[in-house]
Amino acid sequence: MPVIIDSDCINCDMCVPECPNEAIEMGPAHYVVNADKCTECEGFYDAPACIPVCPVDCMHLVPDS
Ligand code: SF4
Ligand code: SF4
């Protein structure tokens, strides 16, 4: 699960169009990243495109466990 969205998400939609893999989906309470689709933007960008656009800094790159 490379990128997670924590509960600070305000559902602003800013990150959704940034994702080249359509990995960001609405969850029960806020947006979530579909770990099966997220590639950390590999092949598209050098770094995750979603994280810098989030106004509340609630998207986090987490190491694979
Ligand atoms: S890191 Fe890239 S592929 Fe993963 S959710 Fe963010 S924008 Fe989508
Ligand atoms: S940009 Fe951040 S606050 Fe906005 S929907 Fe995405 S994760 Fe939530």
Side-chain angles (χ1 to χ4, degrees):
M1 187 188 289
V3 170
I4 60 163
I5 296 174
D6 71 30
S7 60
D8 288 342
C9 175
I10 57 172
N11 301 328
C12 73
D13 295 336
M14 291 289 289
C15 57
V16 176
E18 298 300 321
C19 182
N21 295 318
E22 298 184 356
I24 304 170
E25 306 168 348
M26 193 61 195
H30 57 75
Y31 279 94
V32 296
V33 173
N34 182 331
D36 292 334
K37 292 185 178 178
C38 177
T39 60
E40 300 176 39
C41 290
E42 191 175 334
F44 293 95
Y45 309 113
D46 292 337
C50 53
I51 293 175
V53 303
C54 180
V56 295
D57 197 25
C58 71
M59 308 186 87
H60 310 283
L61 194 57
V62 295
D64 286 322
S65 55

Coordinates of all heavy atoms in Angstrom, one line a residue:
M1 N 0.8 -1.2 0.0 CA 0.0 0.0 0.0 C 0.9 1.2 0.0 O 1.2 1.8 1.0 CB -0.9 0.0 1.2 CG -1.9 1.1 1.2 SD -2.8 1.2 2.8 CE -3.8 -0.3 2.7
P2 N 1.2 1.7 -1.2 CA 2.2 2.8 -1.2 C 1.7 4.1 -0.7 O 2.5 4.8 0.1 CB 2.5 2.9 -2.7 CG 2.0 1.7 -3.3 CD 0.9 1.2 -2.5
V3 N 0.5 4.6 -1.0 CA 0.0 5.8 -0.5 C -1.2 5.6 0.3 O -2.1 4.8 -0.1 CB -0.3 6.8 -1.6 CG1 -1.0 8.1 -1.1 CG2 1.0 7.2 -2.4
I4 N -1.3 6.2 1.5 CA -2.6 6.1 2.3 C -3.1 7.5 2.5 O -2.3 8.5 2.5 CB -2.4 5.4 3.6 CG1 -1.3 6.2 4.5 CG2 -2.0 4.0 3.4 CD1 -1.4 5.8 5.9
I5 N -4.4 7.6 2.7 CA -5.0 8.9 3.0 C -5.6 8.7 4.4 O -6.3 7.8 4.7 CB -6.2 9.1 2.0 CG1 -5.6 9.3 0.6 CG2 -7.0 10.4 2.4 CD1 -6.7 9.5 -0.5
D6 N -5.2 9.7 5.3 CA -5.6 9.6 6.6 C -7.0 10.3 6.9 O -7.5 10.9 5.9 CB -4.6 9.9 7.6 CG -4.2 11.4 7.7 OD1 -5.1 12.2 7.4 OD2 -3.1 11.8 8.0
S7 N -7.5 10.3 8.1 CA -8.8 10.8 8.4 C -8.9 12.3 8.4 O -10.0 12.9 8.5 CB -9.3 10.2 9.7 OG -8.5 10.6 10.7
D8 N -7.8 13.0 8.1 CA -7.9 14.4 8.0 C -8.4 14.9 6.6 O -8.7 16.0 6.4 CB -6.5 15.0 8.2 CG -6.0 15.0 9.6 OD1 -6.8 14.8 10.5 OD2 -4.8 15.2 9.8
C9 N -8.6 13.9 5.7 CA -9.1 14.2 4.4 C -10.4 15.0 4.5 O -11.3 14.6 5.2 CB -9.3 12.9 3.6 SG -10.0 13.1 2.0
I10 N -10.5 16.1 3.7 CA -11.7 16.9 3.7 C -12.5 16.7 2.4 O -13.4 17.5 2.1 CB -11.3 18.4 3.9 CG1 -10.3 18.9 2.8 CG2 -10.8 18.6 5.3 CD1 -10.1 20.4 2.8
N11 N -12.2 15.7 1.7 CA -12.9 15.4 0.4 C -13.0 16.5 -0.5 O -14.0 16.8 -1.1 CB -14.3 14.9 0.8 CG -14.3 13.7 1.7 OD1 -13.4 12.8 1.6 ND2 -15.3 13.6 2.6
C12 N -11.8 17.1 -0.7 CA -11.8 18.3 -1.6 C -11.7 18.0 -3.1 O -11.8 18.9 -3.9 CB -10.6 19.2 -1.2 SG -9.0 18.6 -1.7
D13 N -11.4 16.8 -3.4 CA -11.3 16.3 -4.8 C -10.0 16.7 -5.5 O -9.9 16.4 -6.7 CB -12.5 16.8 -5.7 CG -13.8 16.2 -5.2 OD1 -13.8 15.1 -4.6 OD2 -14.8 16.8 -5.5
M14 N -9.1 17.4 -4.9 CA -7.9 17.9 -5.6 C -7.1 16.8 -6.1 O -6.5 16.9 -7.2 CB -7.1 18.8 -4.6 CG -7.8 20.1 -4.2 SD -7.8 21.3 -5.6 CE -6.1 21.8 -5.7
C15 N -6.9 15.8 -5.4 CA -6.0 14.7 -5.7 C -6.6 13.8 -6.8 O -5.8 13.2 -7.6 CB -5.7 13.8 -4.5 SG -7.2 13.1 -3.7
V16 N -7.9 13.7 -6.9 CA -8.5 12.7 -7.8 C -8.0 12.8 -9.3 O -7.5 11.9 -9.9 CB -10.0 12.7 -7.7 CG1 -10.6 11.8 -8.7 CG2 -10.4 12.4 -6.3
P17 N -8.1 14.0 -9.9 CA -7.7 14.1 -11.3 C -6.2 14.0 -11.5 O -5.7 13.8 -12.6 CB -8.1 15.5 -11.7 CG -8.3 16.3 -10.4 CD -8.6 15.3 -9.4
E18 N -5.4 14.1 -10.4 CA -3.9 14.0 -10.5 C -3.5 12.5 -10.8 O -2.4 12.3 -11.3 CB -3.2 14.5 -9.3 CG -3.5 16.0 -9.0 CD -3.0 16.9 -10.1 OE1 -1.9 16.6 -10.7 OE2 -3.7 17.8 -10.4
C19 N -4.3 11.6 -10.4 CA -3.9 10.2 -10.4 C -4.0 9.6 -11.8 O -5.1 9.5 -12.4 CB -4.7 9.4 -9.4 SG -4.1 7.7 -9.4
P20 N -2.8 9.1 -12.4 CA -2.9 8.6 -13.7 C -3.5 7.2 -13.8 O -3.8 6.6 -14.8 CB -1.4 8.5 -14.1 CG -0.7 8.4 -12.8 CD -1.5 9.2 -11.8
N21 N -3.7 6.6 -12.6 CA -4.2 5.2 -12.5 C -5.6 5.1 -12.0 O -6.1 4.0 -11.8 CB -3.3 4.4 -11.7 CG -1.9 4.2 -12.3 OD1 -1.8 4.0 -13.5 ND2 -0.9 4.3 -11.4
E22 N -6.2 6.3 -11.8 CA -7.6 6.3 -11.2 C -7.7 5.5 -10.0 O -8.6 4.7 -9.7 CB -8.6 5.9 -12.3 CG -8.6 6.8 -13.5 CD -9.7 6.4 -14.5 OE1 -10.4 5.4 -14.3 OE2 -9.9 7.2 -15.5
A23 N -6.7 5.6 -9.1 CA -6.6 4.8 -7.9 C -7.2 5.5 -6.7 O -7.3 4.8 -5.6 CB -5.1 4.6 -7.6
I24 N -7.6 6.7 -6.8 CA -8.2 7.4 -5.7 C -9.7 7.4 -5.8 O -10.3 7.8 -6.7 CB -7.7 8.9 -5.6 CG1 -6.2 8.9 -5.6 CG2 -8.3 9.6 -4.4 CD1 -5.5 10.2 -5.7
E25 N -10.3 6.8 -4.8 CA -11.8 6.5 -4.8 C -12.4 7.0 -3.5 O -11.8 7.1 -2.5 CB -12.0 5.0 -4.8 CG -11.3 4.3 -6.0 CD -11.3 2.8 -5.9 OE1 -11.7 2.3 -4.8 OE2 -10.9 2.2 -6.9
M26 N -13.7 7.3 -3.6 CA -14.4 7.7 -2.3 C -14.6 6.5 -1.5 O -15.1 5.4 -1.9 CB -15.8 8.3 -2.7 CG -16.5 9.0 -1.6 SD -15.5 10.4 -0.9 CE -16.3 10.7 0.7
G27 N -14.2 6.6 -0.2 CA -14.5 5.5 0.8 C -15.7 5.8 1.6 O -16.4 6.7 1.3
P28 N -15.9 5.1 2.7 CA -17.0 5.3 3.6 C -17.1 6.7 4.2 O -18.2 7.2 4.3 CB -16.8 4.3 4.7 CG -15.9 3.3 4.1 CD -15.0 4.0 3.1
A29 N -16.0 7.3 4.5 CA -16.0 8.6 5.1 C -15.2 9.7 4.4 O -15.5 10.8 4.5 CB -15.5 8.5 6.6
H30 N -14.2 9.2 3.7 CA -13.3 10.1 2.9 C -12.7 9.3 1.8 O -12.8 8.1 1.7 CB -12.3 10.8 3.9 CG -11.4 9.8 4.6 ND1 -10.4 9.1 4.0 CD2 -11.5 9.3 5.9 CE1 -9.8 8.3 4.9 NE2 -10.5 8.4 6.1
Y31 N -11.9 10.0 1.0 CA -11.2 9.4 -0.1 C -10.2 8.4 0.4 O -9.6 8.5 1.5 CB -10.6 10.4 -1.0 CG -11.5 11.0 -2.0 CD1 -12.2 12.2 -1.7 CD2 -11.9 10.4 -3.2 CE1 -13.1 12.8 -2.6 CE2 -12.8 10.9 -4.1 CZ -13.4 12.1 -3.7 OH -14.3 12.7 -4.6
V32 N -10.0 7.3 -0.4 CA -9.0 6.3 -0.1 C -8.3 6.0 -1.4 O -8.7 6.2 -2.5 CB -9.7 5.0 0.5 CG1 -10.4 5.3 1.8 CG2 -10.7 4.4 -0.5
V33 N -7.1 5.4 -1.2 CA -6.3 4.9 -2.3 C -6.5 3.4 -2.5 O -6.3 2.7 -1.5 CB -4.8 5.3 -2.2 CG1 -4.0 4.6 -3.3 CG2 -4.6 6.8 -2.1
N34 N -6.9 3.0 -3.7 CA -7.0 1.6 -4.0 C -5.5 1.1 -4.2 O -4.9 1.4 -5.2 CB -7.8 1.4 -5.3 CG -8.0 0.0 -5.6 OD1 -7.1 -0.9 -5.3 ND2 -9.1 -0.3 -6.3
A35 N -5.1 0.3 -3.3 CA -3.7 -0.1 -3.3 C -3.4 -1.0 -4.5 O -2.2 -1.2 -4.9 CB -3.4 -0.9 -2.0
D36 N -4.4 -1.6 -5.0 CA -4.2 -2.5 -6.2 C -3.9 -1.7 -7.5 O -3.3 -2.2 -8.4 CB -5.4 -3.4 -6.4 CG -5.6 -4.4 -5.3 OD1 -4.6 -4.8 -4.7 OD2 -6.7 -4.8 -5.1
K37 N -4.3 -0.4 -7.4 CA -4.1 0.4 -8.6 C -3.0 1.4 -8.5 O -2.4 1.8 -9.5 CB -5.4 1.2 -8.9 CG -6.6 0.4 -9.3 CD -7.8 1.3 -9.7 CE -9.0 0.5 -10.2 NZ -10.1 1.5 -10.5
C38 N -2.6 1.8 -7.3 CA -1.6 2.8 -7.0 C -0.2 2.2 -7.3 O 0.2 1.1 -6.8 CB -1.6 3.3 -5.6 SG -0.3 4.5 -5.2
T39 N 0.6 2.9 -8.2 CA 1.9 2.4 -8.5 C 2.9 3.4 -8.0 O 4.1 3.5 -8.5 CB 2.1 2.3 -10.0 OG1 1.8 3.6 -10.6 CG2 1.1 1.2 -10.6
E40 N 2.5 4.3 -7.1 CA 3.4 5.5 -6.7 C 3.7 6.4 -8.0 O 4.7 7.0 -8.0 CB 4.7 5.0 -6.1 CG 4.4 4.2 -4.8 CD 5.7 3.7 -4.2 OE1 6.7 4.5 -4.2 OE2 5.7 2.6 -3.7
C41 N 2.9 6.3 -9.0 CA 3.0 7.0 -10.2 C 4.2 6.6 -11.1 O 4.6 7.3 -12.0 CB 3.1 8.5 -10.0 SG 1.6 9.3 -9.4
E42 N 4.7 5.4 -10.8 CA 5.8 4.9 -11.6 C 5.4 4.8 -13.1 O 4.3 4.3 -13.4 CB 6.2 3.5 -11.1 CG 7.6 3.0 -11.7 CD 8.0 1.7 -11.0 OE1 7.6 1.5 -9.9 OE2 8.7 1.0 -11.7
G43 N 6.3 5.3 -14.0 CA 6.0 5.3 -15.4 C 5.3 6.5 -15.9 O 5.2 6.8 -17.1
F44 N 4.8 7.3 -14.9 CA 4.2 8.6 -15.3 C 5.0 9.8 -14.7 O 5.3 10.7 -15.5 CB 2.8 8.7 -14.7 CG 1.8 7.7 -15.3 CD1 1.6 6.4 -14.7 CD2 1.2 8.0 -16.5 CE1 0.7 5.5 -15.3 CE2 0.3 7.0 -17.1 CZ 0.1 5.8 -16.5
Y45 N 5.3 9.7 -13.5 CA 6.0 10.9 -12.8 C 7.1 10.3 -11.9 O 7.1 9.1 -11.6 CB 5.0 11.7 -11.9 CG 3.8 12.1 -12.6 CD1 2.6 11.6 -12.3 CD2 3.8 13.0 -13.7 CE1 1.4 12.0 -12.9 CE2 2.7 13.4 -14.4 CZ 1.4 12.9 -14.0 OH 0.3 13.2 -14.6
D46 N 8.0 11.2 -11.5 CA 9.2 10.8 -10.7 C 8.8 10.6 -9.2 O 9.5 9.9 -8.5 CB 10.3 11.8 -10.7 CG 11.0 11.8 -12.1 OD1 10.9 10.8 -12.8 OD2 11.6 12.9 -12.4
A47 N 7.6 11.2 -8.9 CA 7.2 11.1 -7.5 C 5.6 11.0 -7.5 O 5.0 11.4 -8.5 CB 7.7 12.3 -6.7
P48 N 5.0 10.6 -6.4 CA 3.6 10.6 -6.4 C 3.0 12.0 -6.7 O 3.4 13.0 -6.1 CB 3.3 10.2 -4.9 CG 4.5 9.3 -4.5 CD 5.6 10.0 -5.2
A49 N 2.1 12.0 -7.7 CA 1.5 13.3 -8.1 C 0.4 13.8 -7.1 O 0.2 15.0 -7.1 CB 0.9 13.1 -9.5
C50 N -0.1 12.9 -6.4 CA -1.3 13.3 -5.5 C -0.8 14.0 -4.3 O -1.5 15.0 -3.8 CB -2.0 12.0 -5.1 SG -1.0 10.7 -4.4
I51 N 0.3 13.6 -3.6 CA 0.7 14.1 -2.3 C 0.8 15.6 -2.3 O 0.3 16.3 -1.4 CB 1.9 13.4 -1.8 CG1 1.6 11.9 -1.5 CG2 2.5 14.1 -0.6 CD1 2.8 11.1 -1.1
P52 N 1.5 16.2 -3.3 CA 1.8 17.7 -3.2 C 0.5 18.5 -3.4 O 0.5 19.7 -3.0 CB 2.8 17.9 -4.4 CG 3.2 16.6 -4.9 CD 2.3 15.6 -4.4
V53 N -0.5 18.0 -4.0 CA -1.7 18.8 -4.2 C -2.7 18.8 -3.0 O -3.6 19.6 -3.0 CB -2.5 18.4 -5.5 CG1 -1.6 18.5 -6.7 CG2 -3.1 17.1 -5.4
C54 N -2.4 18.0 -2.1 CA -3.4 17.8 -0.9 C -3.2 19.0 0.0 O -2.1 19.3 0.6 CB -3.1 16.5 -0.2 SG -4.2 16.4 1.2
P55 N -4.3 19.8 0.2 CA -4.1 21.0 1.0 C -4.0 20.8 2.5 O -3.6 21.7 3.3 CB -5.5 21.8 0.7 CG -6.4 20.7 0.3 CD -5.6 19.7 -0.4
V56 N -4.4 19.6 3.0 CA -4.3 19.3 4.4 C -3.2 18.3 4.7 O -3.1 17.8 5.9 CB -5.7 18.8 4.9 CG1 -6.7 20.0 4.8 CG2 -6.2 17.6 4.3
D57 N -2.4 17.9 3.7 CA -1.3 17.0 4.0 C -1.7 15.7 4.6 O -1.0 15.2 5.5 CB -0.2 17.7 4.8 CG 1.1 17.0 4.8 OD1 1.4 16.4 3.8 OD2 1.9 17.2 5.8
C58 N -2.7 15.1 4.1 CA -3.2 13.9 4.7 C -2.9 12.6 3.9 O -3.4 11.5 4.2 CB -4.7 14.0 4.9 SG -5.7 13.9 3.4
M59 N -2.1 12.8 2.8 CA -1.7 11.7 2.0 C -0.2 11.4 2.3 O 0.6 12.2 2.4 CB -1.8 12.0 0.5 CG -3.2 12.5 0.1 SD -3.4 12.8 -1.7 CE -3.9 11.1 -2.2
H60 N 0.0 10.1 2.5 CA 1.3 9.7 3.0 C 1.8 8.5 2.2 O 1.1 7.5 2.0 CB 1.3 9.3 4.5 CG 0.6 10.4 5.3 ND1 1.2 11.6 5.7 CD2 -0.7 10.5 5.8 CE1 0.4 12.3 6.4 NE2 -0.8 11.7 6.5
L61 N 3.1 8.5 1.9 CA 3.8 7.4 1.3 C 4.2 6.5 2.4 O 4.9 6.9 3.3 CB 5.0 7.9 0.4 CG 5.6 7.0 -0.5 CD1 4.6 6.4 -1.6 CD2 6.8 7.7 -1.2
V62 N 3.8 5.2 2.3 CA 4.2 4.3 3.4 C 5.0 3.2 2.8 O 4.7 2.7 1.6 CB 3.0 3.8 4.2 CG1 2.3 4.9 4.9 CG2 2.0 3.1 3.2
P63 N 6.0 2.6 3.5 CA 6.7 1.5 2.9 C 5.9 0.3 2.8 O 5.0 0.0 3.6 CB 7.9 1.3 3.9 CG 7.7 2.3 5.0 CD 6.4 3.0 4.8
D64 N 6.2 -0.5 1.8 CA 5.6 -1.9 1.7 C 6.0 -2.7 2.9 O 7.1 -2.6 3.4 CB 6.0 -2.6 0.5 CG 5.4 -2.0 -0.8 OD1 4.2 -1.6 -0.7 OD2 6.0 -1.9 -1.8
S65 N 5.0 -3.4 3.5 CA 5.3 -4.2 4.7 C 5.5 -5.6 4.2 O 5.2 -6.0 3.1 CB 4.2 -4.1 5.7 OG 3.0 -4.4 5.1
Ligands
SF4_1 S1 0.9 7.9 -5.9 FE1 0.2 8.2 -8.1 S2 -0.8 6.3 -8.6 FE2 -0.7 6.4 -6.4 S3 -2.6 7.3 -5.8 FE3 -1.1 8.9 -5.9 S4 -1.4 9.8 -8.0 FE4 -2.4 7.7 -7.9
SF4_2 S1 -6.4 16.2 -1.8 FE1 -6.3 15.5 0.3 S2 -8.0 16.4 1.4 FE2 -8.4 16.5 -0.8 S3 -9.6 14.7 -1.4 FE3 -7.4 14.2 -1.7 S4 -6.7 13.3 0.1 FE4 -8.6 14.3 0.6

